[in-house]
Amino acid sequence: GVGMLEVHWEIDSTSSELARRIPVLDDLAFVISESQSAGRGRRGRPWLSPPGMNLYLSVLKRFDAGFASLSGLSLAVGVMLIRAMGEVGIRTPGLKWPNDVLAGNAKLAGILVELSGEYSGPCAAVIGVGVNIRLPDDLHERAGQPITDLASVTGGEPPGRNRFASALVAELTEGLRTFERHGFAAFADEYVANDLLRGESLRIIDPRGEYIAVGEGVDERGALRVRRADGELVTVDSAEVSVRRS
Ligand code: ATP
Ligand code: BTN
């Protein structure tokens, strides 16, 4: 069963709310909000979070084995999101390493994993998921990159938000328990089956510089595998890396 599931009308950020309450909450506590006044993406970037028809959801999951055991967690959550979409009949989206769900090259959903606690002792992950179900028109200009929603993907009526939210809560509840036991290895094949970067020419931007390489899936820890122009197969696992299709 599910632990706590709390629904707010407005909040700064569902992930900030869980982070504030880590000491007092049970495992698998969920917070959903109708809107967010300070929704966050990675690296402090904003996540546009108007009220209406989108989903802003975060879940707290504790892990006894520490951060060391959590490589690939955001990729596994991507697989859980793809499963939840499949359950409501949506099969076109794919995953862009490390943390985006795209449909037709536009961002449909984002995943933000934030960790606190110990490297090899008890720790907590606050996992935030934003899914666009029906975007207001003006959001497209404000996003700074192509974005899309489930309404556009289905070309008509999007799935009901409550129905999708309950599918996602169920997938996260089960999937996070599986991840706790088996790690990313239990999700790797399904990740690669939904990997939009596989076989694509990519521009990798990391602290050492910029280069072009071809996506070759991910390894058992969730690091991106790419083949460089000189033929060498390298893995890219820094959170400081940006990947663009070139
Ligand atoms: P990277 O690949 O480096 O992570 P990114 O563009 O995916 O780059 P993130 O920090 O993961 O960056 O996501 C934040 C970005 O998502 C914002 O800068 C904005 O462009 C975009 N964004 C903000 N709100 C939404 C939304 N509701 N739907 C889709 N995209 C959004
Ligand atoms: C990204 O693509 O950068 C991740 C975006 C994550 C957005 C979700 S919305 C629910 C939760 N609360 C936040 O403030 N962010 C995440």
Side-chain angles (χ1 to χ4, degrees):
V2 173
M4 181 195 88
L5 195 161
E6 200 173 86
V7 181
H8 294 252
W9 180 249
E10 183 178 280
I11 202 160
D12 53 349
S13 152
T14 53
S15 287
S16 301
E17 176 65 11
L18 281 176
R20 288 187 285 268
R21 291 161 62 191
I22 288 173
V24 299
L25 286 173
D26 286 337
D27 201 27
L28 286 171
F30 286 83
V31 171
I32 295 179
S33 187
E34 177 72 23
S35 67
Q36 300 183 117
S37 56
R40 297 183 272 113
R42 295 206 304 158
R43 299 174 215 172
R45 287 192 277 244
W47 187 258
L48 302 169
S49 309
M53 269 301 288
N54 299 326
L55 182 64
Y56 314 109
L57 173 152
S58 297
V59 55
L60 169 68
K61 178 79 189 94
R62 297 178 191 283
F63 295 94
D64 290 333
F67 306 165
S69 66
L70 300 187
S71 61
L73 176 57
S74 75
L75 283 69
V77 172
V79 169
M80 298 170 212
L81 250 173
I82 291 282
R83 287 178 183 168
M85 289 181 186
E87 269 163 52
V88 299
I90 293 175
R91 289 172 219 287
T92 42
L95 297 168
K96 180 188 163 225
W97 188 91
N99 70 325
D100 291 347
V101 181
L102 304 187
N105 259 325
K107 191 151 163 169
L108 175 66
I111 298 159
L112 179 68
V113 175
E114 295 169 306
L115 305 175
S116 60
E118 295 175 35
Y119 183 74
S120 52
C123 73
V126 172
I127 299 157
V129 177
V131 183
N132 299 324
I133 296 180
R134 191 197 291 280
L135 289 169
D137 288 339
D138 68 313
L139 232 64
H140 290 271
E141 298 135 45
R142 288 167 51 206
Q145 65 175 301
I147 64 176
T148 190
D149 56 16
L150 292 180
S152 311
V153 171
T154 58
E157 231 8 70
R161 182 168 56 170
N162 288 344
R163 182 167 160 244
F164 178 66
S166 65
L168 182 57
V169 166
E171 285 300 340
L172 287 167
T173 300
E174 195 199 310
L176 290 170
R177 290 203 180 108
T178 301
F179 187 93
E180 184 172 29
R181 272 186 234 119
H182 305 290
F184 179 69
F187 297 87
D189 289 348
E190 212 173 327
Y191 183 88
V192 171
N194 290 283
D195 177 9
L196 293 172
L197 301 185
R198 196 167 202 197
E200 293 281 321
S201 172
L202 310 175
R203 178 184 303 278
I204 313 281
I205 305 154
D206 75 13
R208 289 163 307 179
E210 233 182 275
Y211 56 97
I212 304 287
V214 175
E216 297 272 359
V218 295
D219 72 10
E220 68 292 338
R221 294 167 29 259
L224 183 67
R225 300 167 66 194
V226 300
R227 191 171 299 278
R228 295 196 314 208
D230 61 11
E232 200 188 333
L233 193 59
V234 297
T235 59
V236 174
D237 64 355
S238 160
E240 300 309 311
V241 171
S242 277
V243 175
R244 302 267 174 272
R245 282 190 263 201
S246 70

